[in-house]
Amino acid sequence: KKNINKDQELSKLKKQINQLDTRLNEDLDAENNKLEVFGRKFFSSIQSTFMPINIPNFGSNYIIDVGDEFLLMLTGKVNKEHELEVQRDGSLVIPSFGKVNVAGQSIQSASSAIGNLLENTMLGVAHHLTLSNIRDIQVLLLGGIESPGIYTLNGGSNLLHALNVAGGIAENGSFRKVDIIRNSKTIGSYDLYSIFTSGSFDPSATLRSGDSIFVHPRSFLIPTTGGVNQEALYEILPEETLTNLIGFAGGLSP
């Protein structure tokens, strides 16, 4: 009888433990369902205010391409202003002087090439070259993106602009690995968490027409709640540790 009673008590205790475990898991699932994937809010901004305004303010290292427009001021023996657009062959046609190839060059290099053309054609003519309007570009977005497809953006757009226009990262997409592909080669692989947590991003690294952006599949998510500064679902890479996770969550709260 004692053994029977012990077995009954043990069975009853196991049942209570299982019920408690089920209840705790249900509570945890409910809590996790309230959590948002870290980074999702970043792309919920209004697209019209997020897109860059077409007011050129690039440095002399801006790379020129077809469709860019310039204001060329000539002074000295000739005093004229010309509004010029980069032609399909990549050149600027300067009336009375000829044309100079500028596509693929920086503004500084293009200005030097124009100076050489003017000097070889007519002495005593100085010039000042200003970018007045930037071209439109077409970019392909693929992978874990909300609305994959081809998008037309202005030439000042960068990776974040393109992702935002396409609706942001999809549920199955990774915030941790986003590639920019140019001429069939990956020219950059970006971890958006680095941008969101430390702001380490160069906005002057603009896209070019024909670029592809590929969002890789998502790694696993870790629900993080309690004594951290920012509760959320965090995407963690296989080699990362609890220290990384707490860092993404803004550290431990007081």
Side-chain angles (χ1 to χ4, degrees):
K1 283 185 178 181
K2 286 183 179 181
N3 288 335
I4 293 174
N5 289 337
K6 285 182 179 179
D7 289 341
Q8 288 177 342
E9 288 296 325
L10 183 60
S11 177
K12 185 178 179 181
L13 192 58
K14 285 181 178 180
K15 186 176 180 180
Q16 290 174 340
I17 292 173
N18 288 334
Q19 289 175 344
L20 181 60
D21 186 50
T22 300
R23 196 179 316 134
L24 287 172
N25 286 331
E26 287 175 352
D27 291 343
L28 183 59
D29 289 340
E31 182 67 27
N32 290 344
N33 288 334
K34 296 177 185 177
L35 296 176
E36 189 173 58
V37 176
F38 179 68
R40 187 64 53 82
K41 286 183 179 179
F42 186 86
F43 295 108
S44 64
S45 59
I46 300 173
Q47 292 181 9
S48 60
T49 61
F50 191 85
M51 285 304 297
I53 299 172
N54 199 336
I55 300 176
N57 59 351
F58 304 103
S60 59
N61 60 344
Y62 172 77
I63 301 301
I64 301 168
D65 207 343
V66 176
D68 284 333
E69 298 177 10
F70 290 87
L71 177 65
L72 177 64
M73 298 178 62
L74 302 179
T75 57
K77 285 187 178 181
V78 178
N79 289 283
K80 285 187 178 180
E81 286 189 2
H82 296 292
E83 293 182 354
L84 307 175
E85 181 177 344
V86 181
Q87 304 300 304
R88 290 184 178 275
D89 63 355
S91 69
L92 284 175
V93 178
I94 305 172
S96 303
F97 288 93
K99 69 178 185 179
V100 58
N101 291 322
V102 296
Q105 298 186 44
S106 66
I107 297 176
Q108 185 175 10
S109 296
S111 183
S112 297
I114 291 172
N116 292 333
L117 174 65
L118 298 177
E119 185 177 338
N120 292 332
T121 308
M122 182 186 297
L123 293 175
V125 179
H127 76 285
H128 181 70
L129 185 68
T130 305
L131 180 64
S132 58
N133 199 28
I134 51 181
R135 66 194 179 274
D136 285 338
I137 61 173
Q138 284 194 328
V139 178
L140 176 63
L141 286 100
L142 298 169
I145 197 80
E146 284 289 350
S147 300
I150 298 174
Y151 289 85
T152 300
L153 311 171
N154 77 49
S157 301
N158 56 42
L159 173 65
L160 296 182
H161 295 136
L163 291 175
N164 191 70
V165 168
I169 305 296
E171 187 175 346
N172 64 333
S174 174
F175 284 86
R176 308 300 309 278
K177 191 175 183 184
V178 181
D179 292 345
I180 296 179
I181 302 167
R182 182 175 297 162
N183 298 325
S184 302
K185 293 182 179 179
T186 300
I187 64 166
S189 188
Y190 294 86
D191 181 354
L192 299 186
Y193 274 22
S194 296
I195 301 172
F196 299 156
T197 58
S198 64
S200 57
F201 180 68
D202 181 9
S204 65
T206 55
L207 299 169
R208 297 187 191 177
S209 196
D211 285 353
S212 298
I213 296 173
F214 182 75
V215 179
H216 286 257
R218 185 180 72 192
S219 183
F220 56 89
L221 297 176
I222 301 294
T224 308
T225 62
V228 292
N229 285 304
Q230 188 168 353
E231 297 182 340
L233 293 166
Y234 290 93
E235 182 182 351
I236 299 299
L237 302 179
E239 66 273 12
E240 290 179 329
T241 66
L242 179 62
T243 302
N244 299 111
L245 178 61
I246 293 174
F248 294 144
L252 299 175
S253 66

